Amino acid sequence: MMDSSLNPNKHLKEQFVSNLDGSSILEIAALLTIVPLLVLIRYSISSHYNNDKSVSSKKNDDEIVVSRTWKAYTYALSLDFIFIVFPMLLFFTVLSEWVYLGVVLLSLLLLVLSVTAKRSSSGLQRGQSLSFRANVSSYRVALMLITCLCILAVDFTIFPRRYAKTETYGTSLMDLGVGSFVLANAIVSRQARDVSSGNWVSGLKATAPLLLLGFIRLVTTSGVDYQVHITEYGQHWNFFFTLAAISILTSFVNIPAKYCGVLGFTVLAGYQTWLVSGLNTYLLSDERGDSIISKNKEGVYSTLGYWGMYLLGVHLGYRLFYAKNSNTRSTTSSIARVFLVSLILWIVTLLVDNYVERISRRTCNMPYVTWVLAQDLQALGIFMLSSYIPMNKLSSLEEAIDQNLLATFLLANVFTGVVNMSVDTIFASPLSSLVILTAYAFALSSIIGTIHFSGFRLKFW
């Protein structure tokens, strides 16, 4: 009898991303240092040659004004792809063995470009440095680019297995994904900015799109028999349900940002105690009952860890960037504080990982939470160094993705599904794999750039 499945190699593809141990914390930290370095180098090149004079601008947060020609925009977008996206793809695949050397060489290149850049006056110039909001935008865009590249690249053999999600304990590039999204949302949340977020009813209404996307993903993946790594979230659970659950919990327990740190630590400490008391054995086992909770045990229980992470992110965002005393500090002082907090969190991560429980993305335990916080604050601190690059500004591709984050992610998922249903990714040659991934990245960048150039903004929250 012929196999009528739309995805005949589904089982092989699921095995391809299963039972993996990840990489070292140091290698992932180096890899995540390369990304902001590439972005800063792009800024430095712009400051040298002033290629992006006619840049789109915003009169306010809701109105986009494009003041460049299509030719100039295409040129700028192409440079963004060449200097940011394509090198990222290479380091995630064929240059993965050269990560440490890449960090050194890119750091030296950035230093040379920064020192030789023409400055109208010494030091930082008022009105020329990217604001914290722009730095966070760069960080979120970089996170989105990493995610979009990895969700397809992981299905090809040129993507190192050590960068794919770990099965139980360990660290990998893709393990950072959902945690980084949760933290990014926390740092820029209304709660972190100490802005009233309304009552729990409005909070639940804001959760509706996430729930809808979660169910759409569930139905579509089941409908086309798409490969699903069940031990990641469970049988039915997915990334959107985790974000929705955090939003619901936050709506019901809505407290000022200055108290979120205490609550977040309490939630994490309680959850970690529960884990080491036996819950981790259950969550990491193959045991699944008939109840909906048991079938989705990883997604359901890990929500406690992600909620604790979100609360800590809100508190850190408020203390580091939004509290009144933080606004009076110099740029250098702000950057130093971010790196100091990151260093403290790195130390905590190593201690908890060695003496309490190893890092586990699958359970979202305490060492995983502190690892994500440490790693992401380090990356954000590097992005903040853009203040020392004269005449810097968000690149065209960053602006485009920043205004269309959700659209970028959804389009990347659609492309990933189409490629997987059309190509036997695990049997593709290294050259074919690189060509397909490059074409995918270029198409994604071009489409999102075109949407932005046309003046559309598909930013739903």
Side-chain angles (χ1 to χ4, degrees), residues 132 135 321 331 334-335 338 379-388:
F132 163 70
N135 291 139
F321 309 114
T331 301
S334 297
I335 295 172
V338 171
L380 182 54
I382 297 174
F383 277 116
M384 292 175 71
L385 293 176
S386 63
S387 297
Y388 296 98

Side-chain angles (χ1 to χ4, degrees), residues 239-255:
F239 166 75
F240 294 111
F241 289 143
T242 294
L243 293 184
I246 294 170
S247 180
I248 291 171
L249 287 170
T250 305
S251 298
F252 280 101
V253 187
N254 192 354
I255 62 175

Side-chain angles (χ1 to χ4, degrees), residues 62 80 94 134 163 214 229 373 401 416 430 443 449 453:
D62 301 312
D80 296 338
V94 295
Y163 290 169
H229 191 190
L373 292 173
I401 296 177
T416 298
F453 180 82

Side-chain angles (χ1 to χ4, degrees), residues 287-358:
E287 176 187 347
R288 292 189 192 277
D290 296 327
S291 68
I292 191 70
I293 292 179
S294 182
K295 289 181 178 179
N296 299 281
K297 57 183 180 178
E298 295 90 349
V300 173
Y301 287 98
S302 66
T303 298
L304 290 172
Y306 287 116
W307 186 40
M309 178 192 294
Y310 182 88
L311 292 169
L312 288 178
V314 168
H315 181 77
L316 288 173
Y318 171 73
R319 290 297 184 189
L320 290 173
F321 309 114
Y322 302 113
K324 291 181 179 180
N325 62 339
S326 66
N327 294 329
T328 60
R329 299 178 186 271
S330 68
T331 301
T332 301
S333 176
S334 297
I335 295 172
R337 292 171 70 219
V338 171
F339 278 120
L340 176 61
V341 174
S342 175
L343 176 61
I344 293 171
L345 286 165
W346 275 121
I347 295 172
V348 172
T349 298
L350 295 175
L351 291 174
V352 179
D353 180 59
N354 280 286
Y355 298 106
V356 179
E357 186 182 22
R358 289 187 61 203

Side-chain angles (χ1 to χ4, degrees), residues 108-225:
L108 291 174
L109 176 59
L110 177 60
L111 181 61
V112 170
L113 289 172
S114 300
V115 169
T116 58
K118 294 180 180 179
R119 299 171 182 265
S120 57
S121 63
S122 60
L124 301 178
Q125 298 186 31
R126 184 178 296 275
Q128 291 186 336
S129 299
L130 285 177
S131 65
F132 163 70
R133 180 171 181 174
N135 291 139
V136 172
S137 292
S138 291
Y139 153 68
R140 294 179 64 176
V141 167
L143 172 61
M144 181 59 69
L145 280 172
I146 293 170
T147 302
C148 292
L149 292 176
C150 288
I151 59 174
L152 179 57
V154 69
D155 296 318
F156 290 89
T157 55
I158 62 170
F159 187 83
R161 294 300 88 193
R162 66 183 185 276
Y163 290 169
K165 291 179 180 177
T166 55
E167 189 71 17
T168 54
Y169 293 106
T171 56
S172 75
L173 175 62
M174 293 191 71
D175 278 341
L176 281 167
V178 62
S180 296
F181 270 104
V182 170
L183 179 60
N185 288 340
I187 289 176
V188 299
S189 65
R190 295 173 64 87
Q191 200 171 2
R193 289 178 280 135
D194 205 21
V195 177
S196 175
S197 55
N199 55 30
W200 62 270
V201 176
S202 60
L204 291 180
K205 287 181 179 179
T207 305
L210 291 171
L211 291 172
L212 178 61
L213 289 171
F215 282 112
I216 289 175
R217 178 173 175 80
L218 174 61
V219 171
T220 53
T221 52
S222 300
V224 299
D225 200 26

Side-chain angles (χ1 to χ4, degrees), residues 371-406:
W371 174 54
V372 172
L373 292 173
Q375 180 62 76
D376 284 31
L377 282 178
Q378 175 185 305
L380 182 54
I382 297 174
F383 277 116
M384 292 175 71
L385 293 176
S386 63
S387 297
Y388 296 98
I389 300 174
M391 303 302 295
N392 61 69
K393 56 182 173 289
L394 290 180
S395 67
S396 301
L397 183 59
E398 284 183 303
E399 284 190 348
I401 296 177
D402 184 46
Q403 296 301 316
N404 301 281
L405 278 172
L406 180 60

Side-chain angles (χ1 to χ4, degrees), residues 255-273:
I255 62 175
K258 58 184 177 180
Y259 301 123
C260 283
V262 174
L263 178 59
F265 178 78
T266 302
V267 170
L268 277 177
Y271 178 55
Q272 183 60 51
T273 302

